[in-house]
Amino acid sequence: MKKTMTAVAALALGLSAMIGAAGAQTGKKYTIALIPGLTTDAFYITMRKGAEAAAKVVGADLVFQGAPEFNPVQQAPVLDAVIARKPDAILIAPTDKTQLVQPLKKAADAGIPVITVDTFIGTGIYQTGQGDADFPLSYIASDNVLGGKIAARALAKAIGDKGKVYVSNVEPGVSTTDQREQGFKDEMKSHPGIQVLQTQFNDDDANKAASQMQSVFARNSDLAGVFGANLFSALGAANGVQQAGQTGKVKVVAFDAPTSMVDNIKSGLIDVAIAQHPAEIGYFGVMSAYAHLTGQSIPIAIGTGFTEMDKSNIDKPEIAQFIYKN
Ligand code: T6T
C-alpha cells in the first residue's frame, strides 16, 4: 500500500475542524460556487461530495455548475452565469491556464474571491503581486509533477525498464495534465532503456485515445507501455490496448480511479492506477473559502495526496475508499 498525504493537508485537516466549530456561530449563510472542469467526470463528482461535506459543516450553500465538456469555450459562459448569481466565493477548476484568466478576472473585479481547485491559471503561484493571473487566493490540488513521476516509475517497473512508451494526454494548456506529462518525462530521463514517443492529444475523448493507441501500436509493434494522463486518456488507451489484442503485453499506467478501474486492474488491462483525492480537494476548497469569508488568512496552496492501486491492494478497504464516486 502506498498512500501519501502532505503535511500541509494534514495541518489543514486540523484547522478545518476548528473553522467548522467557529463557523457555526457566525450566523451568515454563505453561497459558495464550485465550477468543475466538466460535470459528468467522476473526479469532479467526487470533488463535489467533499465540497458538500464541508459546506454542511460550516452551514454554507454549495452551488455546483459546470459545462458538459472539458474546454474553455464552454466553461467561460458557465463562469459568467455563476458570476451573475453573485456567490460569496467561487471555486473553479479552470480548463486552460491562459484562456480562463480574463473570464476569472471579471469575478475578482466584481469582488468575488476566487480559489482554483485541481487546475490553476498562470503559473499557479498566487498572491505574488506579479503578472496578471496571481489574483486567486489559493490553489488546492494534487502535486501533478510528482504524480507524473510516480506514473513513470510505475510504468518503468512494469516494462522491466526498457522499451517504447508514450503519453496519452488531453491537450496542451491544461495545468494538471501538462504537469503530469512534464513529471513523467523528467523521471524517464533516469531510465535510459526507455524511449518516450510523441505524446498523443485526445481532447479528453476516450474514443479518440483508443484509436490513437491503435495507430501508435500499428507504427510501433514493439510498444511496451502507455501512460494515460487522466481518466479519459487512461480508459481510452486501455480500451485501445484491448482492441489491439495486447492486454497484459502493452502495459498501462492510469491517472485517476473511476469505478471501472477495479475490473480493469483485476483483469490485468491496467497495471497501476494513481488515484487522486478529489474529495479532499473539494473539502479544503470550501473550508478555505469559508475561512477567508470569515476573516481568516488562508494558505496560498494546499497539496492533497495520491493512492497507488494495483492488483495487490485494490480489494483493501483503505485503498478502495479512494475509488471515485459516480
Ligand atoms: O485528472 C482529472 C483532473 O485532475 C484533470 O485536471 C482533468 O481530468 C480529470 O478530471 C479526470 O478526467
Side-chain angles (χ1 to χ4, degrees), residues 56-81:
K56 204 169 160 200
V57 172
V58 299
D61 279 332
L62 184 83
V63 173
F64 183 77
Q65 203 170 330
E69 281 179 31
F70 189 94
N71 70 55
V73 175
Q74 291 202 14
Q75 194 179 37
V78 172
L79 172 59
D80 284 344

Side-chain angles (χ1 to χ4, degrees), residues 148-149 152 155 167 180-188 227:
K149 289 185 180 182
L155 190 57
V167 182
R180 289 169 204 163
E181 182 177 338
Q182 180 199 330
F184 181 87
K185 288 181 169 168
D186 282 353
E187 174 65 25
M188 283 310 191
F227 166 41

Side-chain angles (χ1 to χ4, degrees), residues 41 43-44 70 118-119 174 176 180 230-232 256 276:
D41 179 337
F43 173 84
Y44 295 113
F70 189 94
D118 176 43
T119 43
V174 181
T176 45
R180 289 169 204 163
N230 84 332
L231 191 154
F232 300 101
D256 294 311
Q276 303 185 74

